[in-house]
Amino acid sequence: MLLTVDVGNTHTVIGGYEGQELQFVWRMATNKKQTEDEIRATLSSMFFAQRLDHAHVTGVALASVVPQLSMAWKRAARSLFDAEAFVCNAENTKGLFKADYPNPHEIGQDRVADAIAAAHVYGAPCVVVDFGTATNIEVVNKQGLFVGGIIAPGVSTSAQALFQYAAKLAATELIDPGVAIGTCTETAIQSGIVYGEAGRVDALVKRIFAQLGYEAPVIATGGLAPVITPCSETITHTNAELTLEGLRLAFEWNRAAGRVQ
């Protein structure tokens, strides 16, 4: 079994693959102070609860945007699975991840995995919109080259800032309110945040198309993708596990080249 781990600022997503088939997905809050021992204990309890044998894990592929957790996850993988975690990045996926970008080492590990998976599954050109702590947009051109993207405040990040600084506005579930004109505080907030994010994404994607000179499939991923996608005019696909699939592809690419076992 290959364990794929996407460590985000807000959530950590873990997927288990048997060959090309995703067998399970676990989601948990990211604790930026979590230690190796705590990660190991959490994984052990999750395997036990699902009646899975962690001895079946033969590889670990990791993407992390939290530097202080990267080493803890690598050590936990080594001690629990006796596996050296493969950390996906632009340097160790050359040939699979091709970039026309001034400083490829600056590209986030999750962005690399997203671009790899999108190009593999949907072909080039393609655009990925990843709704996480930040809303990341990745662009792969007709030649299959990652040419850059956009990083903006995420949906939940913006909502939390609103609730924090507007004393009379209570936290509200982020769902499609069904109307643009809210008739109560709750639906007014939902309209502003959900439709506002869909409109922002559509405007940015249209600018991307104008710069490229052609349109492309737009794939949404991340926790709020199912909420925003139906409200968008430009998003064509939703793939909740796109990052995990990119990690699997990057791992298999390196294993075929003999760089990982």
Side-chain angles (χ1 to χ4, degrees):
M1 178 187 292
L2 171 65
L3 203 69
T4 54
V5 183
D6 176 23
V7 181
N9 284 294
T10 306
H11 293 98
T12 295
V13 184
I14 302 167
Y17 281 90
E18 292 286 0
Q20 298 181 17
E21 298 298 320
L22 184 60
Q23 301 296 316
F24 61 82
V25 177
W26 298 332
R27 300 177 189 275
M28 61 184 186
T30 297
N31 178 358
K32 295 181 180 180
K33 296 182 179 180
Q34 199 170 32
T35 66
E36 170 198 346
D37 291 339
E38 290 169 332
I39 292 171
R40 188 171 61 244
T42 298
L43 287 174
S44 294
S45 65
M46 294 170 84
F47 271 84
F48 179 79
Q50 297 295 319
R51 298 182 179 180
L52 296 171
D53 187 353
H54 63 71
H56 291 162
V57 175
T58 57
V60 177
L62 174 68
S64 173
V65 299
V66 186
Q68 63 266 37
L69 286 179
S70 299
M71 188 55 66
W73 271 95
K74 291 176 71 174
R75 287 195 293 260
R78 190 180 303 119
S79 60
L80 186 60
F81 307 120
D82 192 27
E84 292 295 327
F86 165 78
V87 180
C88 177
N89 58 50
E91 283 75 21
N92 61 25
T93 54
K94 287 179 180 178
L96 180 64
F97 176 77
K98 301 175 183 178
D100 181 11
Y101 198 80
N103 298 299
H105 66 276
E106 294 179 353
I107 306 170
Q109 297 167 11
D110 55 336
R111 300 179 74 194
V112 171
D114 281 348
I116 288 172
H120 177 81
V121 176
Y122 302 97
C126 59
V127 175
V128 178
V129 183
D130 192 339
F131 295 101
T133 305
T135 295
N136 292 336
I137 303 181
E138 328 302 348
V139 183
V140 177
N141 69 9
K142 281 183 176 180
Q143 290 71 43
L145 300 175
F146 174 91
V147 293
I150 295 168
I151 301 175
V155 185
S156 297
T157 306
S158 300
Q160 288 167 8
L162 176 65
F163 302 142
Q164 179 180 352
Y165 290 106
K168 291 187 177 182
L169 298 182
T172 300
E173 183 182 6
L174 298 182
I175 60 174
D176 182 352
V179 293
I181 302 172
T183 54
C184 64
T185 301
E186 182 179 47
T187 55
I189 291 172
Q190 290 167 341
S191 176
I193 294 175
V194 175
Y195 295 157
E197 180 68 4
R200 179 175 69 163
V201 167
D202 287 342
L204 291 171
V205 168
K206 288 173 183 177
R207 286 177 178 268
I208 288 169
F209 290 166
Q211 184 173 338
L212 289 175
Y214 47 81
E215 296 187 359
V218 179
I219 304 97
T221 190
L224 282 172
V227 177
I228 306 300
T229 296
C231 305
S232 167
E233 297 175 356
T234 58
I235 295 173
T236 56
H237 303 82
T238 300
N239 188 329
E241 319 309 341
L242 192 72
T243 312
L244 301 182
E245 180 65 10
L247 289 174
R248 182 190 71 80
L249 290 165
F251 181 90
E252 296 295 345
W253 172 272
N254 276 272
R255 183 162 65 178
R259 290 187 287 267
V260 297
Q261 297 182 347

